[in-house]
Amino acid sequence: MLDWLIRGAQVLDGTGADAFPADVGIKDGTIAAVGRLTDADAAHVLDAQGRTLTPGFLDIHRHTDAALFRPNFGRAELAQGLTTLVGGNCGMSLAPLAGKHALVAGFDDAPLTDGQYRELHRLVERSLADGAVGVSLGLGYAPECFYSTEGLIRALEPLRGGRLPVTVHMRQEGDGVVDALREMLTVARELRCPVEISHLKGIGRRNWGRAVPEMLRLLENARAEGLDVACDVYPYSAGSTQLIHVLPPEFQKGGLDALTAALRDPSSRAAMRRRMETGSDFENITHLVGFENVVPISLHTEEYKPFEGKSLAEIADTLGKDPYDALFDLLAAERCEAGMIDFIAAEEDIEAILRAPFSVPISDATYPIEGLCHPRVYGSAARFLAHYVRERGILTLPQAVHKLTMQSADRLGLSRKGRIAVGADADLCLFSPENIRENGAYTAPRQLASGMDAVFVAGVPELLNGRFTGETQGRVLRAH
């Protein structure tokens, strides 16, 4: 007897093929049958007439690490159909759990020694043996920004010739983004391992419509050459990360305590300002998009908490300060623990990336404990389907579901995920496409998406009839 029989659905199986009518049977957390199951017996039957059944959606770039342990984690994800999440991206991860946070060299900017490379390789190999689905890099952040290309290739030596990908927040995403991509293509050629370019974009109006088309051509040419390279993109023109990312990276040497001290030192502040006024050799976001497009979030101090959600330009104007001084004072007061939402990308670039056959949508969602967050935490998959597919027609629904499911799963070797086929994990979404909605906004982001009628995880409905069931079937996945 089946545990569940989903009867009469229009099935999009994740391959990108058109929908077909079928019943789907579930047994012991696995898809046991697909087809016309008229005579099947089941403990539970779900009538799916007139609705679309898809594999559960994957988000292969979501900063879930510590958030996994918070109460009610998963509701924001299930409400938009996400059943598989991959954390540890951008070089920011809870793993491996050993010693201090920056395990080998801390925040030192000196080249690694032979002994440090050996220790780094040992930790990478141990994590891969434990089941990690890849290795992530945050080359736009300290301390990984201190690698040379040659040092980076040496650091990644354990991945040479393998099937597990390097996922990379590149060294730059603004004026130097095309050269940053060329660097990663050099890495892919040398190591002959898969490379996934995280959240591809071109920051700043002068790069819009120019950098992204060139990078897509470079990726197409590299794939034609035989390199296993691909990219992902979040479906928003605004990003979100640590506010210190607007600062020149060399000032992050020594970690947050040293940076906080530098922000309080007049000579260091003057040096930072000179670099930020003209520098193009780092991700100079305030120079690229302006203080009016950088919005601090996750503020904790009594002095600055009231300014959360206001742009740096607005904060400076209210306080009667120069924007640089307002930024430095805020970061120093918050001990560099503030985040930001930054409006950086162009819609036409996002659409071009989404159309590329080698791209998948992701959220890049971060999880502030309090205050504002980016609406992508609650709505990334829903926005992709509602805005870019249903409203803009960038992709067909079968193409979009393929990107959210099988294509994302295969990128990380998760062969039982992202497909409706006998033997696959019974992670499933049932919905009417016209009902999918993102309900959050930048000013009020913590709103659950809507439109999912049922979401199964490991064969058990965690959302049924649009309501959470209280079931929690999630488990840790390992590369297989």
Side-chain angles (χ1 to χ4, degrees), residues 22 88 96 110 144 168 209 238 252 369 384 389 394 405:
E144 290 176 354
V168 57
Q252 298 179 44
I369 294 174
F384 172 56
V389 179
I394 299 306
T405 59

PDB file of all heavy atoms in Angstrom, residues 22 88 96 110 144 168 209 238 252 369 384 389 394 405:
ATOM      1  N   ALA A  22      -0.869  12.789 -14.754  1.00  0.00           N
ATOM      2  CA  ALA A  22      -0.421  11.552 -14.117  1.00  0.00           C
ATOM      3  C   ALA A  22      -0.789  11.557 -12.645  1.00  0.00           C
ATOM      4  O   ALA A  22      -1.051  12.597 -12.046  1.00  0.00           O
ATOM      5  CB  ALA A  22       1.093  11.367 -14.272  1.00  0.00           C
ATOM      6  N   GLY A  88      26.527  27.545   3.465  1.00  0.00           N
ATOM      7  CA  GLY A  88      27.977  27.594   3.450  1.00  0.00           C
ATOM      8  C   GLY A  88      28.570  28.308   2.258  1.00  0.00           C
ATOM      9  O   GLY A  88      29.738  28.093   1.923  1.00  0.00           O
ATOM     10  N   PRO A  96      34.429  23.730   8.198  1.00  0.00           N
ATOM     11  CA  PRO A  96      34.583  22.677   9.215  1.00  0.00           C
ATOM     12  C   PRO A  96      34.637  23.257  10.629  1.00  0.00           C
ATOM     13  O   PRO A  96      35.114  24.373  10.834  1.00  0.00           O
ATOM     14  CB  PRO A  96      35.920  22.030   8.837  1.00  0.00           C
ATOM     15  CG  PRO A  96      36.684  23.127   8.173  1.00  0.00           C
ATOM     16  CD  PRO A  96      35.665  23.957   7.437  1.00  0.00           C
ATOM     17  N   ALA A 110      49.293  37.876   4.423  1.00  0.00           N
ATOM     18  CA  ALA A 110      50.530  37.320   3.868  1.00  0.00           C
ATOM     19  C   ALA A 110      50.223  36.029   3.110  1.00  0.00           C
ATOM     20  O   ALA A 110      49.255  35.333   3.416  1.00  0.00           O
ATOM     21  CB  ALA A 110      51.528  37.039   4.990  1.00  0.00           C
ATOM     22  N   GLU A 144      39.868  35.839   2.202  1.00  0.00           N
ATOM     23  CA  GLU A 144      40.124  35.169   0.928  1.00  0.00           C
ATOM     24  C   GLU A 144      40.493  36.133  -0.187  1.00  0.00           C
ATOM     25  O   GLU A 144      41.106  35.734  -1.184  1.00  0.00           O
ATOM     26  CB  GLU A 144      38.919  34.312   0.525  1.00  0.00           C
ATOM     27  CG  GLU A 144      38.775  33.093   1.427  1.00  0.00           C
ATOM     28  CD  GLU A 144      37.547  32.269   1.120  1.00  0.00           C
ATOM     29  OE1 GLU A 144      36.727  32.686   0.283  1.00  0.00           O
ATOM     30  OE2 GLU A 144      37.408  31.195   1.728  1.00  0.00           O
ATOM     31  N   VAL A 168      31.781  30.314  -6.178  1.00  0.00           N
ATOM     32  CA  VAL A 168      32.627  31.461  -5.870  1.00  0.00           C
ATOM     33  C   VAL A 168      31.897  32.793  -5.960  1.00  0.00           C
ATOM     34  O   VAL A 168      31.260  33.101  -6.967  1.00  0.00           O
ATOM     35  CB  VAL A 168      33.876  31.487  -6.793  1.00  0.00           C
ATOM     36  CG1 VAL A 168      33.491  31.497  -8.260  1.00  0.00           C
ATOM     37  CG2 VAL A 168      34.790  32.663  -6.468  1.00  0.00           C
ATOM     38  N   GLY A 209      24.254  46.356 -18.733  1.00  0.00           N
ATOM     39  CA  GLY A 209      24.101  46.105 -20.162  1.00  0.00           C
ATOM     40  C   GLY A 209      25.412  45.895 -20.893  1.00  0.00           C
ATOM     41  O   GLY A 209      25.416  45.681 -22.112  1.00  0.00           O
ATOM     42  N   ALA A 238      18.503  44.274  -5.962  1.00  0.00           N
ATOM     43  CA  ALA A 238      19.232  44.619  -4.743  1.00  0.00           C
ATOM     44  C   ALA A 238      19.841  43.376  -4.127  1.00  0.00           C
ATOM     45  O   ALA A 238      19.250  42.291  -4.167  1.00  0.00           O
ATOM     46  CB  ALA A 238      18.310  45.293  -3.729  1.00  0.00           C
ATOM     47  N   GLN A 252      40.557  45.392   6.366  1.00  0.00           N
ATOM     48  CA  GLN A 252      39.961  44.295   7.134  1.00  0.00           C
ATOM     49  C   GLN A 252      41.004  43.324   7.648  1.00  0.00           C
ATOM     50  O   GLN A 252      40.667  42.333   8.312  1.00  0.00           O
ATOM     51  CB  GLN A 252      38.923  43.581   6.272  1.00  0.00           C
ATOM     52  CG  GLN A 252      37.778  44.489   5.864  1.00  0.00           C
ATOM     53  CD  GLN A 252      36.758  43.794   4.977  1.00  0.00           C
ATOM     54  OE1 GLN A 252      36.368  42.667   5.241  1.00  0.00           O
ATOM     55  NE2 GLN A 252      36.325  44.469   3.923  1.00  0.00           N
ATOM     56  N   ILE A 369      19.064  38.343  12.778  1.00  0.00           N
ATOM     57  CA  ILE A 369      18.297  37.904  13.942  1.00  0.00           C
ATOM     58  C   ILE A 369      17.158  38.871  14.237  1.00  0.00           C
ATOM     59  O   ILE A 369      16.086  38.472  14.689  1.00  0.00           O
ATOM     60  CB  ILE A 369      19.235  37.771  15.157  1.00  0.00           C
ATOM     61  CG1 ILE A 369      20.235  36.636  14.921  1.00  0.00           C
ATOM     62  CG2 ILE A 369      18.444  37.518  16.441  1.00  0.00           C
ATOM     63  CD1 ILE A 369      21.279  36.510  15.989  1.00  0.00           C
ATOM     64  N   PHE A 384      10.589  34.635  -8.601  1.00  0.00           N
ATOM     65  CA  PHE A 384      11.052  34.090  -9.870  1.00  0.00           C
ATOM     66  C   PHE A 384       9.874  33.582 -10.708  1.00  0.00           C
ATOM     67  O   PHE A 384       9.745  33.911 -11.892  1.00  0.00           O
ATOM     68  CB  PHE A 384      12.053  32.963  -9.591  1.00  0.00           C
ATOM     69  CG  PHE A 384      12.470  32.179 -10.795  1.00  0.00           C
ATOM     70  CD1 PHE A 384      13.031  32.806 -11.894  1.00  0.00           C
ATOM     71  CD2 PHE A 384      12.309  30.800 -10.836  1.00  0.00           C
ATOM     72  CE1 PHE A 384      13.424  32.081 -13.013  1.00  0.00           C
ATOM     73  CE2 PHE A 384      12.703  30.060 -11.930  1.00  0.00           C
ATOM     74  CZ  PHE A 384      13.250  30.714 -13.029  1.00  0.00           C
ATOM     75  N   VAL A 389       8.538  34.714 -14.717  1.00  0.00           N
ATOM     76  CA  VAL A 389       7.947  33.679 -15.569  1.00  0.00           C
ATOM     77  C   VAL A 389       6.520  34.062 -15.967  1.00  0.00           C
ATOM     78  O   VAL A 389       6.208  34.199 -17.149  1.00  0.00           O
ATOM     79  CB  VAL A 389       7.982  32.308 -14.858  1.00  0.00           C
ATOM     80  CG1 VAL A 389       7.337  31.235 -15.744  1.00  0.00           C
ATOM     81  CG2 VAL A 389       9.420  31.926 -14.530  1.00  0.00           C
ATOM     82  N   ILE A 394       9.937  35.557 -19.243  1.00  0.00           N
ATOM     83  CA  ILE A 394      11.350  35.347 -19.547  1.00  0.00           C
ATOM     84  C   ILE A 394      11.618  33.883 -19.887  1.00  0.00           C
ATOM     85  O   ILE A 394      12.443  33.563 -20.744  1.00  0.00           O
ATOM     86  CB  ILE A 394      12.225  35.790 -18.358  1.00  0.00           C
ATOM     87  CG1 ILE A 394      12.020  37.280 -18.075  1.00  0.00           C
ATOM     88  CG2 ILE A 394      13.696  35.476 -18.599  1.00  0.00           C
ATOM     89  CD1 ILE A 394      12.246  38.167 -19.283  1.00  0.00           C
ATOM     90  N   THR A 405      14.723  22.899 -10.095  1.00  0.00           N
ATOM     91  CA  THR A 405      14.698  21.523  -9.608  1.00  0.00           C
ATOM     92  C   THR A 405      15.883  20.706 -10.136  1.00  0.00           C
ATOM     93  O   THR A 405      16.959  20.734  -9.576  1.00  0.00           O
ATOM     94  CB  THR A 405      13.349  20.861  -9.954  1.00  0.00           C
ATOM     95  OG1 THR A 405      13.148  20.877 -11.379  1.00  0.00           O
ATOM     96  CG2 THR A 405      12.197  21.599  -9.285  1.00  0.00           C
TER      97      THR A 405
END
